């Protein structure tokens, strides 16, 4: 068992697809298949089910955690040595569901620490705990609750979320709306797993009605344009309204206690953060989020 074997297994485990993994790794698929077979032979058990499609089996899920942590520790050691031997430099890896709220704080950090290399990665909240514990990333910013086992966190911002509509929409002039006012409305919303989508599902959970979704998108700007064009309604947190004050949509408060977003910074409780990651953690947690 060597590092190349472990790295290739982790990619196959993440994608659960040999040809896509081979493309990402820039290796031939038959070679990758042989590598996985050798690893399974060495461990004495299959790591994947190979029925209709490639799927991690329970042994594979178990081994993936160890493999990711081993590779994460080695990478952490490499980065620590690089940081110790090159004064004033270093690197930090930050993941977030969306970087719209982080642009100014990350840009400010880069101005203060120009020698630090910043790697940004968009990631679902479901994936964050595993990737933090594996030390694939240093810090995560989530807009929804994340399982906290093995993690530490700091709340950055707790804010109201409003319904946004076309300026001429019948709801646009209302001082507030209830969830019942929204049950027949078409929604333009982010895809499953995104905090806005989960907020919509939570708000509708007690209505017995499935929200009418007319468009799913991972492009925040596209969602805003579709709402502005009158093709549906959606959600915006107060932070977005402050950062886009002249955007031509109506924003209406929702009379529901859970129509809020909590922005949190997370990191592994067991990992030793590099100096660069510690500096970014301080910069993000002390940023004026209400400014």
């Amino acid at each position: 068992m060597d590092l190349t074997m472990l790295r290739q297994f982790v990619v196959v485990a993440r994608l659960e697809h040999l040809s896509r993994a081979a493309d990402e790794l820039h290796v031939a698929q038959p070679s990758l298949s042989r590598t996985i077979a050798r690893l399974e032979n060495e461990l004495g058990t299959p790591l994947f089910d190979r029925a209709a499609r490639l799927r991690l089996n329970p042994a594979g899920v178990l081994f993936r955690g160890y493999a990711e942590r081993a590779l994460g520790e080695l990478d952490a050691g490499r980065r620590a040595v690089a940081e110790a031997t090159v004064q004033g430099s270093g690197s930090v890896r930050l993941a977030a569901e969306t970087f719209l709220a982080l642009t100014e704080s990350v840009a400010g950090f880069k101005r203060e620490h120009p020698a630090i290399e910043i790697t940004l990665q968009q990631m679902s909240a479901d994936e964050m705990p595993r990737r933090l514990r594996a030390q694939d990333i240093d810090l995560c910013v989530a807009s929804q609750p994340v399982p906290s086992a093995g993690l530490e966190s700091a709340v950055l911002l707790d804010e109201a979320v409003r319904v946004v509509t076309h300026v001429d929409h019948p709801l646009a002039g209302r001082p507030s709306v209830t969830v019942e006012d929204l049950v027949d409305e078409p929604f333009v919303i982010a895809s499953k797993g995104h905090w806005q989508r989960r907020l919509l599902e939570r708000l509708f959970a007690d209505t017995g009605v499935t929200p009418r979704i007319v468009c799913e998108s991972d492009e925040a700007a596209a969602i805003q344009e579709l709402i502005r064009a009158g093709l549906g309604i959606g959600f915006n947190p107060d932070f977005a309204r402050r950062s886009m004050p002249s955007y031509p949509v109506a924003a209406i408060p929702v009379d529901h206690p859970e129509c809020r977003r909590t922005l949190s910074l997370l990191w592994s409780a067991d990992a030793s953060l590099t100096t660069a990651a510690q500096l970014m953690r301080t910069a993000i947690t002390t940023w004026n989020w209400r400014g």
Side-chain angles (χ1 to χ4, degrees):
M1 192 180 301
D2 57 29
L3 292 179
T4 298
M5 183 181 288
L6 290 180
R7 290 192 176 100
Q8 291 186 354
F9 162 73
V10 166
V11 173
V12 176
R14 171 166 54 84
L15 298 175
E16 293 186 317
H17 198 285
L18 273 173
S19 63
R20 288 204 296 266
D23 288 342
E24 182 172 318
L25 291 163
H26 305 292
V27 299
Q29 183 175 331
S31 174
L32 183 59
S33 296
R34 289 193 294 272
T35 297
I36 298 302
R38 286 199 304 272
L39 178 61
E40 291 176 322
N41 184 61
E42 184 167 340
L43 291 171
T45 185
L47 300 173
F48 296 89
D49 291 330
R50 296 170 170 84
R53 55 162 294 184
L54 196 70
R55 293 280 190 185
L56 271 179
N57 64 23
V61 172
L62 178 64
F63 186 69
R64 179 180 65 178
Y66 286 96
E68 287 178 334
R69 288 192 293 273
L71 293 171
E73 285 288 343
L74 288 170
D75 188 55
R78 178 189 61 78
R79 296 168 66 222
V81 169
E83 187 174 62
T85 55
V86 183
Q87 186 176 5
S89 68
S91 63
V92 57
R93 302 161 300 180
L94 175 66
E97 291 178 88
T98 172
F99 287 103
L100 288 175
L102 290 169
T103 303
E104 292 300 323
S105 59
V106 173
F109 177 82
K110 188 63 177 179
R111 288 192 296 270
E112 291 290 323
H113 305 282
I116 292 178
E117 178 182 311
I118 304 171
T119 302
L120 303 176
Q121 183 175 352
Q122 194 165 7
M123 184 178 296
S124 70
D126 289 339
E127 195 176 358
M128 288 177 179
R130 181 176 61 82
R131 299 290 295 277
L132 283 169
R133 288 191 287 266
Q135 300 187 58
D136 284 343
I137 48 177
D138 302 306
L139 304 167
C140 286
V141 175
S143 296
Q144 58 184 296
V146 171
S148 59
L151 304 181
E152 295 185 22
S153 64
V155 173
L156 305 176
L157 181 66
D158 180 69
E159 60 177 347
V161 175
R162 304 188 183 216
V163 164
V164 285
T165 72
H166 184 273
V167 291
D168 294 327
H169 192 281
L171 297 176
R174 299 270 295 271
S176 67
V177 295
T178 66
V179 175
E180 286 71 21
D181 293 326
L182 307 178
V183 294
D184 294 323
E185 294 291 335
F187 277 88
V188 178
I189 202 78
S191 56
K192 289 184 178 180
H194 191 277
W195 74 268
Q196 290 188 359
R197 181 64 168 271
R198 286 186 169 166
L199 172 62
L200 178 65
E201 292 165 354
R202 288 200 305 274
L203 293 179
F204 272 65
D206 295 332
T207 67
V209 177
T210 300
R212 185 157 68 95
I213 297 170
V214 296
C215 178
E216 293 183 359
S217 176
D218 291 325
E219 299 180 62
I223 290 174
Q224 296 301 312
E225 283 295 325
L226 291 168
I227 293 170
R228 183 193 63 78
L231 298 181
I233 69 172
F235 291 120
N236 266 357
D238 278 350
F239 188 94
R241 294 175 59 244
R242 293 198 303 273
S243 62
M244 299 184 296
S246 61
Y247 206 84
V249 293
I252 310 115
V254 180
D255 186 13
H256 193 290
E258 290 190 24
C259 197
R260 305 188 65 81
R261 173 177 77 155
T262 301
L263 200 66
S264 300
L265 181 70
L266 305 109
W267 61 94
S268 172
D270 299 323
S272 297
L273 291 179
T274 63
T275 300
Q278 292 177 43
L279 288 170
M280 177 167 274
R281 178 177 62 184
T282 299
I284 290 177
T285 53
T286 57
W287 182 258
N288 181 15
W289 291 97
R290 293 288 181 186

